[in-house]
Amino acid sequence: MKRNLVTLLVALGLAAFPALQADELRLTSDRVMIEVLDGRGRAVEELSGDDLEILEAGEKRSALELLAPGATGREPWRITLLFDAVLTGDGSMARSARVLEEQAEALADLGWVEVVVADPEPRLVLPASRDAVALSNALGRVSLLEEASDALTRERRETLRLLAAIGDPEERQEALVEAVQREEALVLERHRVWLSWLAAAPPRGPQAVLLVNDGYDLDPAAGLGALAGLELAPERSLLEPSQDLARALAAYGWVALPVALRQARDSQGSRFGAVYRGDDPGGEDVPVLGTIRLPGRRSAEERAAEDEVDPFPAQPYDGLRALAQTTGGEVLAETAAVGDALARLATRWELRFSGARHPASEGSLLEVRPQTTRWQVRGPRWVGGATPSAVAALRADRLLAGDDLPSDLEVVAVVEKDPPQPRLEARVAVGPTSSPLPRVTLVAIDGEGKRQVIHQRVDGVRGEDAAQLRLSLPIDLAPGVDRVAVLVEDLASGRWGGTLAGLVVRGEESEAARDAFFDADLGLLPAPKAVNLLRPEGGVLRGEVTFETVVSDPAVRRVEFLLDGRTVGERSSAPYAVPIGLGRLPLRRVIEALAYEAAGQLVGRDELAVNEGGRELTVRITEPVDPTAIARSFDVAAEIDVPEGRRLERVELFWNDRLMATLFSPPFRHRMPAIEGDAGFVRVAARLDDGTIAEDSMVLGQGSSERVEVNLVELYVVVADRAGRPVKGLERDVFEVREGGQTMALAGFSDASDMPMTVGMAIDSSASMFAKLPAVQEAARAFLDGLEAGRDRAFLVEFDSRPSLASAPTDDLGRVAEAVSGLEAGGQTSLWESIVFSLVQLQGSRGRKALVVYSDGADQDKGFRYRTCLRFARKLGIPVYVIVSNNEAVRTEGLGLRTFGDRLERLTSAVGGKTYLVRSGQDLGDVYREIERELSSQYLLTYYSDTQGLRGWRGVEVDVQGRGLSARTVAGFDR
């Protein structure tokens, strides 16, 4: 049977992949929508498979099934009305929406219709619906309220003005070339937007897109050159990308009907009244309501006075026509054509035909033609196959933009970008049983934003681990590349994965040195990590916690576990996991796992920190495991912690002052060459999208690795007068700091009010807060308004029976305010546990920080001890401000609630904060404003402590000179 199938396929000319086995060809069943018209342009009502000739890649195919319009088993159309507000003028966009509004019933009869406006990114105006009234209303809103930018003609208009002001011919030519490049980039970006929306959903029956835009020139150089009276080298630079887009949409089953009504001059009414018509051929309609002209539209006279030359594309339909023809659609340039096209869409036949195609094929040319010359057939000219290359490039573009895409394959990649021959190496986790047919897509961006796309079929090599596929290939990479996205696809199964590739810089060594730079057997990629620590679940960890590892190196025979540098356990067999006692307080702790081979050689190391909460950007070098072995190739690894809401831009690795590699995504590992000399240092620097930088360094060579740590103490101090009001403007010499009774020399002094601050807000949302919660929410939002957006950070903890993080630390204060508004009352009050939970979130933050707590004072925290809360707060030394709204607490100054107020006072005074007791109904805004004034009046005093090596509590006192002045800060710290 297999031999007969192979013979048949060869006879059909389908053995187009000589490097692959013939029996890898697969039978396919493709489905396309075709329109069949007779000689008078009427839909053919009687049709059979014998009436059609089907050619795929020039080879005949057999019709399997032909479903007539309305036949049983036919699915309704899925129709997308996609208004591109960037490549459309206001007039033509409003006109198109009105025309489609009149066709609302016809559209709803065809199937499910969605309305999308792309301005510039797609925005869903109406989800898929078959309700003609809802569709009509949505299109009415588009015609009246949506504004189009007409970016292409506006860009051309500005170019013509610029060229008219340039006298030097060479400068004019350069300016024109730049304008052409901008126009190309604009159109390609619109291609990306259209494809990203249309390729996102899997095919569900017949699909059609009515793409509303005014078109573009396939050769912008010729179009702009003619307008400017200049000649540029003839290039149809947008032809190939337009064809790629068309093939991708055809492969996904879309019938494209571009709606381009900019130059349609036939009369078209509106349900809202008259329509003003311009006189110039490129003019825009101006709808009016009575005598009121809608804003943003210009009269014909205004346009004529402004534009001596209409910058509209000379051949706007060429690109749209290619899109329509490849997908089996047509360009709708007249209003009457829209209704006719929809009517014919309802008469299309569904053709299913048999074929055979290699699973790695990216599709084939298709021609469906009638057996009689009296008929004509309109259908797609491209069909099926693996993921279109345009979609692969789109996914790589999204990786470059920092999007986190769901994928099936894990990919690690490195690009050596230096001449004479750039090279890509990748490692792909494909699974032990798959037979991948990989295609690699690279999208590279240089420092000026210029884009390069590379598609390449490759052969992979499996190593000892059958689940790992290793790819290595030379690439034709343009110079000056700044970032490269790598996408690897298994074309047979459709599985894919991608990453931002690390960029390796080798420099200008001699040829011999270049050849020896990396171990030829190992290549550019570092080895997988030998041991990986898994983070336990839970944001706050204390007591005994089991830490597990994943060991990927089969040579590992023993794993040793360390807590804060002290050995706490080991395992000599799988599973490599141990319980570790973290203590009663949820302090920041560092856990390490050291992996050893049978001979006792250290072969791997990993570490993680727990109880960091809302951490800042941190960098920690975790490898090399043997810092003295730099005479051979070795791996450098780093752990990077990125704060919530921020994006890691890049990680750079240096040897001494020389840049060796730039990494963009985890794992942050790099293979270093053998180092000449006795010693040096490796440095890893991470940069966030907001410019924040953090780094770590390690000395390598003779002796062990070294890190220098200094015992610098920071004190944030508030000075108040006799009335308790904050005092600002004091000088350094009025302060005196004593630690353990000994006067300390100040190392630094500054006004801290302009320093960034992280504020935690903890709000009681227990059942007893039902009536009070709205006033608290209003005061808390006003407090957030007093912080400086973009500089200060905040988070929200809500607590009832248990605390929870309602909004993670972020400089988007509006997001935190939204979380405050969303609080609802219910449950009991867990005050002490919630304070500890909130302080854990602040534990990893740098610089100024404070915690502001609101509660109604109901002491229901039976499962968490106050003493634990007090010890933890003193250990961290973060100012805590507690607001208690409880009439009984006010009447007895807190003593009526079993010394509740005394407990609060001891807690807040120990850390330089304050307790506020307020009556129910009292204006909380005054209290929050007083806390805000205190925080904006802080001074920062620093000194070097000489208590290194000592343990226990160290009391701190700050005195300030001046009548009636007093200073408040932490009471001390616990070593």
Side-chain angles (χ1 to χ4, degrees):
M1 178 65 185
K2 179 181 291 187
R3 176 174 298 177
N4 292 337
L5 174 61
V6 172
T7 303
L8 172 63
L9 295 176
V10 172
L12 292 175
L14 298 178
F17 300 89
L20 301 165
Q21 297 299 317
D23 60 5
E24 291 181 354
L25 293 170
R26 297 180 184 174
L27 293 175
T28 65
S29 175
D30 291 291
R31 177 180 65 180
V32 295
M33 305 302 296
I34 60 172
E35 179 182 300
V36 185
L37 303 177
D38 62 17
R40 297 182 179 181
R42 297 174 302 186
V44 174
E45 297 180 356
E46 297 291 336
L47 191 66
S48 71
D50 295 334
D51 296 324
L52 301 173
E53 183 179 24
I54 307 167
L55 300 174
E56 182 187 3
E59 302 294 334
K60 289 186 177 182
R61 298 287 183 263
S62 301
L64 297 176
E65 190 174 16
L66 191 62
L67 295 180
T72 302
R74 278 280 298 267
E75 298 182 46
W77 283 87
R78 174 195 172 195
I79 299 175
T80 296
L81 308 182
L82 178 52
F83 293 82
D84 190 314
V86 176
L87 292 186
T88 313
D90 258 349
S92 53
M93 183 161 166
R95 184 185 306 116
S96 301
R98 292 194 302 272
V99 170
L100 291 170
E101 181 186 354
E102 287 198 346
Q103 301 294 330
E105 290 189 7
L107 285 164
D109 287 342
L110 283 170
W112 297 92
V113 186
E114 65 178 4
V115 181
V116 181
V117 174
D119 59 348
E121 293 299 321
R123 171 169 46 86
L124 189 62
V125 175
L126 177 70
S129 171
R130 301 199 69 169
D131 186 338
V133 175
L135 177 58
S136 177
N137 290 336
L139 290 169
R141 290 195 300 271
V142 172
S143 67
L144 286 173
L145 302 179
E146 298 290 348
E147 294 187 2
S149 64
D150 202 9
L152 190 147
T153 54
R154 291 180 187 272
E155 177 72 31
R156 286 189 167 191
R157 186 178 295 118
E158 291 301 319
T159 296
L160 295 176
R161 289 174 179 169
L162 174 64
L163 293 175
I166 299 176
D168 183 87
E170 291 186 2
E171 291 185 10
R172 293 187 69 201
Q173 197 81 1
E174 291 177 1
L176 183 58
V177 171
E178 292 177 357
V180 169
Q181 293 173 347
R182 289 194 299 270
E183 182 168 321
E184 292 173 356
L186 173 65
V187 175
L188 291 175
E189 174 63 15
R190 303 325 296 159
H191 285 185
R192 181 196 67 80
V193 168
W194 304 340
L195 185 57
S196 66
W197 185 271
L198 298 174
R204 297 191 300 270
Q207 303 180 128
V209 54
L210 277 72
L211 178 61
V212 177
N213 72 103
D214 290 338
Y216 54 89
D217 281 328
L218 283 178
D219 186 0
L224 270 173
L227 290 172
L230 299 173
E231 289 188 7
L232 291 179
E235 293 184 23
R236 298 189 67 81
S237 56
L238 294 176
L239 177 59
E240 184 176 347
S242 294
Q243 291 175 336
D244 288 343
L245 170 67
R247 290 171 180 173
L249 293 185
Y252 281 106
W254 286 98
V255 177
L257 301 169
V259 180
L261 302 183
R262 178 178 180 122
Q263 300 190 49
R265 311 314 307 158
D266 50 327
S267 175
Q268 177 62 41
S270 168
R271 62 173 177 167
F272 295 102
V275 176
Y276 176 88
R277 300 277 173 202
D279 298 327
D280 59 300
E284 301 171 356
D285 292 349
V286 183
V288 293
L289 300 178
T291 59
I292 302 176
R293 183 181 300 158
L294 292 179
R297 272 90 178 199
R298 300 171 297 136
S299 68
E301 292 78 9
E302 290 170 332
R303 290 193 301 274
E306 181 178 343
D307 304 330
E308 295 182 2
V309 178
D310 183 9
F312 191 66
Q315 303 292 332
Y317 299 148
D318 284 357
L320 301 180
R321 190 173 291 112
L323 179 63
Q325 291 175 348
T326 303
T327 61
E330 59 183 302
V331 176
L332 310 179
E334 300 292 337
T335 56
V338 175
D340 293 342
L342 293 178
R344 293 196 306 275
L345 206 61
T347 67
R348 292 212 174 196
W349 294 75
E350 181 177 311
L351 170 63
R352 298 180 181 179
F353 62 91
S354 66
R357 190 183 302 116
H358 194 276
S361 166
E362 294 186 29
S364 306
L365 287 172
L366 176 70
E367 185 178 5
V368 181
R369 57 194 185 196
Q371 296 285 10
T372 173
T373 58
R374 292 175 297 153
W375 292 354
Q376 57 178 331
V377 176
R378 176 183 284 129
R381 298 184 180 180
W382 193 261
V383 65
T387 303
S389 58
V391 175
L394 174 64
R395 289 169 175 167
D397 281 332
R398 292 186 60 188
L399 289 172
L400 281 175
D403 294 344
D404 186 15
L405 301 181
S407 59
D408 311 297
L409 305 178
E410 181 181 338
V411 179
V412 180
V414 170
V415 168
E416 179 192 359
K417 64 177 187 175
D418 297 285
Q421 180 60 69
R423 186 159 57 107
L424 165 72
E425 286 195 7
R427 187 167 53 238
V428 188
V430 294
T433 60
S434 62
S435 300
L437 301 166
R439 175 180 67 188
V440 173
T441 296
L442 289 89
V443 176
I445 299 290
D446 66 14
E448 298 179 354
K450 191 173 181 179
R451 180 172 175 267
Q452 178 188 10
V453 181
I454 300 173
H455 298 287
Q456 191 163 337
R457 285 284 305 277
V458 296
D459 293 324
V461 177
R462 293 183 185 269
E464 294 182 2
D465 183 358
Q468 294 284 335
L469 190 70
R470 179 180 165 187
L471 310 177
S472 181
L473 65 150
I475 52 177
D476 186 15
L477 200 63
V481 166
D482 183 64
R483 188 171 294 207
V484 179
V486 176
L487 197 82
V488 181
E489 302 168 275
D490 178 359
L491 297 178
S493 66
R495 297 191 306 157
W496 64 276
T499 187
L500 291 179
L503 300 181
V504 176
V505 182
R506 295 211 301 187
E508 301 296 332
E509 295 91 349
S510 66
E511 194 66 29
R514 289 176 62 85
D515 292 340
F517 195 83
F518 289 99
D519 188 318
D521 294 331
L522 298 177
L524 300 171
L525 282 168
K529 208 167 188 176
V531 59
N532 292 270
L533 268 167
L534 303 181
R535 185 176 295 274
E537 294 184 1
V540 177
L541 300 177
R542 62 193 185 105
E544 188 172 90
V545 177
T546 297
F547 287 86
E548 300 176 340
T549 64
V550 174
V551 174
S552 58
D553 188 342
V556 172
R557 291 294 180 267
R558 180 171 64 91
V559 176
E560 181 183 2
F561 293 83
L562 287 75
L563 175 65
D564 295 335
R566 181 173 54 89
T567 300
V568 291
E570 66 175 49
R571 289 291 182 270
S572 299
S573 61
Y576 296 100
V578 298
I580 298 178
L582 300 181
R584 299 170 65 181
L585 300 180
L587 297 171
R588 181 184 184 275
R589 313 299 294 267
V590 176
I591 294 87
E592 295 175 83
L594 306 180
Y596 297 88
E597 62 180 8
Q601 177 70 33
L602 182 64
V603 295
R605 175 177 176 270
D606 194 18
E607 73 173 46
L608 63 85
V610 299
N611 295 334
E612 287 193 305
R615 56 188 179 272
E616 300 288 341
L617 174 65
T618 58
V619 179
R620 182 80 174 176
I621 296 175
T622 58
E623 293 186 44
V625 295
D626 182 2
T628 64
I630 63 173
R632 61 179 185 272
S633 296
F634 61 96
D635 290 347
V636 173
E639 296 292 335
I640 314 292
D641 286 328
V642 178
E644 182 78 18
R646 293 263 64 97
R647 181 175 62 83
L648 185 66
E649 184 177 275
R650 63 183 60 212
V651 173
E652 295 177 320
L653 188 146
F654 298 84
W655 173 251
N656 294 330
D657 292 326
R658 175 185 171 188
L659 177 65
M660 304 297 292
T662 304
L663 310 177
F664 300 94
S665 57
F668 298 106
R669 296 174 60 81
H670 173 66
R671 169 149 294 144
M672 291 282 287
I675 301 298
E676 296 182 2
D678 295 333
F681 67 94
V682 62
R683 178 165 60 92
V684 177
R687 178 188 292 270
L688 297 181
D689 54 351
D690 63 355
T692 302
I693 298 176
E695 62 180 48
D696 189 21
S697 60
M698 177 183 288
V699 177
L700 303 179
Q702 295 180 349
S704 302
S705 61
E706 299 177 1
R707 285 190 178 90
V708 179
E709 298 181 0
V710 294
N711 192 21
L712 181 68
V713 178
E714 295 182 341
L715 298 177
Y716 289 94
V717 180
V718 174
V719 178
D721 59 18
R722 284 194 178 94
R725 295 170 299 199
V727 177
K728 301 184 69 174
L730 299 177
E731 300 296 331
R732 171 182 183 143
D733 56 5
V734 304
F735 289 91
E736 181 183 0
V737 177
R738 292 188 300 276
E739 180 190 290
Q742 179 182 356
T743 300
M744 310 301 294
L746 290 182
F749 170 84
S750 60
D751 182 344
S753 59
D754 291 331
M755 296 180 180
M757 177 171 57
T758 302
V759 179
M761 301 187 68
I763 297 180
D764 188 344
S765 60
S766 61
S768 58
M769 286 290 299
F770 180 77
K772 304 174 186 176
L773 196 54
V776 179
Q777 291 169 314
E778 181 180 356
R781 288 192 298 265
F783 175 78
L784 288 168
D785 288 340
L787 301 179
E788 186 171 329
R791 183 199 71 177
D792 297 331
R793 304 171 73 227
F795 64 86
L796 174 66
V797 171
E798 65 166 319
F799 62 94
D800 40 46
S801 303
R802 295 293 302 272
S804 63
L805 189 61
S807 180
T810 176
D811 58 4
D812 184 354
L813 303 179
R815 186 192 305 176
V816 185
E818 289 179 5
V820 170
S821 301
L823 296 179
E824 296 180 358
Q828 295 185 322
T829 305
S830 57
L831 179 60
W832 310 127
E833 181 181 4
S834 301
I835 291 176
V836 170
F837 180 87
S838 303
L839 289 174
V840 167
Q841 311 310 312
L842 286 165
Q843 192 168 201
S845 300
R846 293 194 185 96
R848 289 201 302 157
K849 43 198 169 186
L851 174 63
V852 182
V853 184
Y854 177 92
S855 177
D856 66 357
D859 189 10
Q860 300 169 325
D861 206 346
K862 308 300 182 184
F864 202 94
R865 297 178 59 189
Y866 162 73
R867 185 183 299 275
T868 301
C869 178
L870 176 62
R871 287 181 56 203
F872 185 63
R874 289 175 62 177
K875 190 85 172 178
L876 266 59
I878 298 173
V880 178
Y881 296 85
V882 180
I883 307 169
V884 175
S885 176
N886 186 290
N887 292 340
E888 178 66 13
V890 173
R891 187 179 65 81
T892 64
E893 296 183 349
L895 299 178
L897 295 179
R898 294 178 299 172
T899 69
F900 177 67
D902 180 56
R903 287 180 170 184
L904 289 176
E905 186 62 33
R906 287 168 56 198
L907 171 68
T908 57
S909 62
V911 292
K914 200 171 182 180
T915 299
Y916 298 87
L917 302 178
V918 299
R919 293 185 179 277
S920 299
Q922 183 177 337
D923 185 7
L924 295 174
D926 291 340
V927 180
Y928 275 101
R929 280 190 289 273
E930 181 177 331
I931 297 173
E932 184 182 327
R933 283 193 296 271
E934 279 217 4
L935 294 175
S936 63
S937 304
Q938 288 178 324
Y939 299 91
L940 173 59
L941 282 61
T942 61
Y943 68 92
Y944 290 99
S945 173
D946 59 358
T947 59
Q948 190 167 1
L950 300 179
R951 295 289 176 184
W953 176 259
R954 303 291 296 179
V956 174
E957 299 173 278
V958 177
D959 288 336
V960 57
Q961 299 175 14
R963 180 174 298 179
L965 299 183
S966 60
R968 192 168 71 250
T969 187
V970 294
F973 53 87
D974 196 0
R975 291 289 182 195

